[in-house]
Amino acid sequence: MPSMGVRRRVLGAAALVAVALTSTTAVAAGRPRDHAPHGGHTATPIRHLVVIFDENVSFDHYFATYPHAANPPGEPAFHAAHDTPAVNGLSKALLQHNPNAENPQRLDRSQALTCDQDHSYTAEQQAFDHGLMDKFVESTGRERCPAPNHGRPGLVMDYYDGNTVTAMWNYAQRFALSDNSYSTVFGPTTPGHLNLVSGRTHGATASAPTPAVANGTVIATGGQAAKYEDCSSPSTPKIEMSGPNVGDLLTAKGVSWGWFSGGFAATSRTADATAICASKHANVAGELHTDYYGGGWADPFQYYRSTANPHHLSPASVAEIGHAGRANHQYDLTDFWRALRARRMPAVSYLKPAVYQSGHAQSSDPLDEQRFLVDTINRIESSRAWRSTAIIIAYDDSDGWYDHQRSPTVNDSQSPQDALSGDGLCGVRTPVAGYQGRCGYGPRQPLLVISPYSRVNAVDHHVTDQTSILRFVEDNWLGGQRIGDGSFDALAGRLGGLVDFNRPHPRPLYLDPATGQREPVSSYAAWPRESGARSRRPSRRRSRGPRSGGPSRRSPR
């Protein structure tokens, strides 16, 4: 019989192996912990994470009939592989006999620009109607708006298919899609962004009364601005957030990171050096929109003193990008491409497209959004960093668009703004950490993982939310450290059902930005190869061991 000391060591090693096998962020069996570029270690082969955070889409709005497209003449065709797994989309009954006041209708490419819907904290709960999911037309629907935006009675119910959101459907074919991922809480842009980087919408202090803050919690976007933000109206109430965010944790660990926004670079300055962000681009209808979201709504780090770049200062050099410096990790999107070209892509990058390419109804659209997504992903796939990269496509809120799937309620709230289960009620349980105004999960949204390590043609059914992305960063680079103080990261489901570290498939998928259809060669093939730390070619050896369950999946081709 082995000695007691040997037995303890054997049992301890077995316990560690068990934890690694059950953790969805653990590295594949037999694969050593890797070094992340610019400091830190990674628990998986992912050494670069790129989070593309787009705007205002529900799952059914983009994937209601996936993988079946109408394929009318004159539109880019989509034909799914014969063994493509089904999603929890709209059934024939929901399409033809919907419990809402209108049936869903297909939108085509000529209707890409539409009216914006009501996506406020209370209205979205009212649309859920105690979980019956039948009051969207009355609660969040907006059918009229200025031309050239498309509107009709019941517009809030409508959806696109693979002839308009063609790239999204092709990415789902080649990589991994979740059909069970949600906004962390109900409501619009600002809560979604704050949850992405901290899991906390509470701890807010406003410089003047604003309906955006209730009970110390951010529940709205309009009528407020980030405190540390030049590019906002001086008369708008400013909000400051307390506590740490993921940027603080990454900096403390020496891991490079950055938030990259379209239009962040100052176009001019006032006499006192206050930044003005006035760059503009036209959307598919020719309408000009300022690139940067006024008030810093879409840069959550501008709400925190520790991670803000109030005056929109540019980095002193490419070498500073991702590291401490005058830009303080807040950059223009062009800085991301500068870093990629110079082989200095940060370990963790958040990309925010300019307004016209964000996907937000009434200012953007699926076609402009597709151009941004495809152009960005083609460039990253053409770099050497691709072999150790995961790209996540996620959304800040649903815009109030119809989705038939009720979200699980993981956190209750009893405030005057709540309405999920009655006036002033989102359940009756005590909220997590006692903070009100955080009823969640909110509406369902698309979530895709594009990586050599994503599952192939897979649909994951595990419950996740916006803070599942935060949790992956914490688990991969921070040793499982959590934000604390009621952050939703402690409740978040993991992204393991979307990845398979035993079966890498590094061959890129290049798409046409205009059509979303496949292209054989990327136009960025001549780009300098980004390497970061020493590149390691992923093994193509196929594991014969058992795989974890959860998602539907077909074998890599």
Side-chain angles (χ1 to χ4, degrees):
M1 177 177 290
S3 69
M4 184 63 70
V6 171
R7 290 177 64 194
R8 286 196 185 101
R9 288 194 296 272
V10 170
L11 290 173
L16 289 174
V17 170
V19 169
L21 290 176
T22 56
S23 171
T24 58
T25 59
V27 73
R31 193 182 299 278
R33 287 169 61 89
D34 200 0
H35 285 275
H38 318 306
H41 295 269
T42 58
T44 76
I46 301 302
R47 302 203 311 272
H48 300 89
L49 178 69
V50 179
V51 180
I52 302 174
F53 209 48
D54 281 356
E55 294 271 324
N56 297 52
V57 170
S58 74
F59 184 87
D60 280 344
H61 191 53
Y62 272 11
F63 288 97
T65 64
Y66 180 83
H68 304 293
N71 291 325
E75 296 190 12
F78 178 87
H79 299 285
H82 73 279
D83 52 354
T84 298
V87 300
N88 177 13
L90 295 185
S91 64
K92 183 177 180 180
L94 287 171
L95 287 168
Q96 299 180 359
H97 305 287
N98 198 280
N100 281 269
E102 298 279 349
N103 285 327
Q105 295 185 27
R106 177 183 179 272
L107 297 165
D108 64 28
R109 288 169 66 90
S110 70
Q111 301 163 321
L113 201 64
T114 68
C115 300
D116 189 20
Q117 306 302 298
D118 188 344
H119 43 291
S120 61
Y121 179 80
T122 304
E124 287 187 346
Q125 294 184 48
Q126 291 169 335
F128 273 43
D129 189 24
H130 299 75
L132 296 177
M133 312 301 286
D134 62 356
K135 295 297 182 186
F136 281 82
V137 175
E138 300 89 340
S139 300
T140 61
R142 288 176 177 168
E143 60 190 55
R144 293 185 178 89
C145 55
N149 302 286
H150 170 71
R152 76 163 191 93
L155 174 68
V156 70
M157 303 294 296
D158 294 351
Y159 63 91
Y160 297 100
D161 70 6
N163 307 130
T164 299
V165 288
T166 315
M168 295 287 281
W169 284 35
N170 275 317
Y171 287 135
Q173 284 272 284
R174 178 62 176 276
F175 301 103
L177 165 71
S178 169
D179 69 349
N180 207 14
S181 192
Y182 302 88
S183 297
T184 304
V185 298
F186 289 91
T189 289
T190 304
H193 284 76
L194 293 174
N195 279 316
L196 175 71
V197 304
S198 72
R200 301 169 70 250
T201 51
H202 57 278
T205 304
S207 62
T210 169
V213 176
N215 304 302
T217 298
V218 178
I219 63 169
T221 295
Q224 58 90 12
K227 179 175 181 179
Y228 302 101
E229 175 59 69
D230 277 4
C231 296
S232 62
S233 170
S235 61
T236 303
K238 305 298 191 294
I239 294 176
E240 180 176 15
M241 298 300 297
S242 63
N245 60 58
V246 69
D248 296 317
L249 304 188
L250 290 169
T251 297
K253 289 286 188 178
V255 180
S256 61
W257 69 278
W259 182 280
F260 301 85
S261 297
F264 186 85
T267 53
S268 61
R269 297 187 182 276
T270 63
D272 64 354
T274 298
I276 297 174
C277 305
S279 65
K280 295 182 179 182
H281 283 86
N283 63 19
V284 70
E287 296 180 311
L288 279 175
H289 291 275
T290 302
D291 291 334
Y292 186 65
Y293 281 84
W297 299 340
D299 185 344
F301 294 107
Q302 297 286 80
Y303 289 84
Y304 298 84
R305 180 190 294 271
S306 59
T307 54
N309 179 1
H311 308 307
H312 292 239
L313 303 176
S314 60
S317 66
V318 174
E320 180 189 309
I321 298 172
H323 303 277
R326 69 187 187 189
N328 199 23
H329 301 275
Q330 308 309 301
Y331 311 102
D332 191 83
L333 260 175
T334 56
D335 291 321
F336 179 79
W337 303 121
R338 292 172 61 208
L340 187 68
R341 288 191 182 98
R343 304 181 178 182
R344 291 181 174 273
M345 186 166 81
V348 180
S349 301
Y350 300 91
L351 307 189
K352 190 70 190 179
V355 167
Y356 81 107
Q357 291 186 318
S358 69
H360 194 305
Q362 209 162 313
S363 55
S364 182
D365 57 275
L367 301 181
D368 282 310
E369 179 192 15
Q370 177 172 272
R371 283 189 175 274
F372 174 80
L373 289 172
V374 172
D375 182 62
T376 298
I377 294 168
N378 281 354
R379 292 188 191 195
I380 295 171
E381 288 179 322
S382 297
S383 72
R384 187 168 295 169
W386 165 244
R387 293 182 174 273
S388 61
T389 294
I391 302 169
I392 295 177
I393 302 175
Y395 290 84
D396 65 336
D397 64 68
S398 72
D399 200 62
W401 293 111
Y402 171 63
D403 190 274
H404 77 280
Q405 178 61 43
R406 177 181 179 172
S407 54
T409 302
V410 301
N411 187 42
D412 291 1
S413 176
Q414 300 87 39
S415 74
Q417 294 77 29
D418 287 302
L420 182 65
S421 53
D423 291 342
L425 292 175
C426 165
V428 296
R429 296 174 300 178
T430 301
V432 172
Y435 297 114
Q436 302 285 356
R438 302 196 306 155
C439 177
Y441 295 142
R444 190 170 60 143
Q445 301 168 324
L447 178 72
L448 294 93
V449 173
I450 299 170
S451 172
Y453 293 100
S454 66
R455 298 186 186 274
V456 176
N457 199 3
V459 177
D460 181 41
H461 311 302
H462 293 102
V463 175
T464 58
D465 74 293
Q466 291 160 331
T467 64
S468 295
I469 301 169
L470 170 61
R471 182 163 186 148
F472 178 80
V473 174
E474 293 168 340
D475 288 345
N476 198 49
W477 279 277
L478 303 174
Q481 183 179 1
R482 301 286 178 246
I483 297 290
D485 190 27
S487 171
F488 278 93
D489 60 359
L491 305 175
R494 306 188 188 208
L495 302 179
L498 295 153
V499 293
D500 184 350
F501 296 125
N502 285 314
R503 304 186 183 204
H505 54 101
R507 186 165 58 92
L509 171 66
Y510 297 124
L511 301 179
D512 183 311
T515 67
Q517 295 174 312
R518 293 177 181 237
E519 284 193 334
V521 179
S522 168
S523 59
Y524 301 99
W527 266 48
R529 297 285 184 172
E530 193 277 343
S531 59
R534 182 175 61 87
S535 175
R536 183 183 66 195
R537 186 180 183 86
S539 170
R540 294 176 181 266
R541 180 178 61 84
R542 301 286 175 83
S543 169
R544 298 182 181 274
R547 293 172 40 242
S548 61
S552 309
R553 179 187 186 275
R554 64 190 298 267
S555 299
R557 290 174 290 181

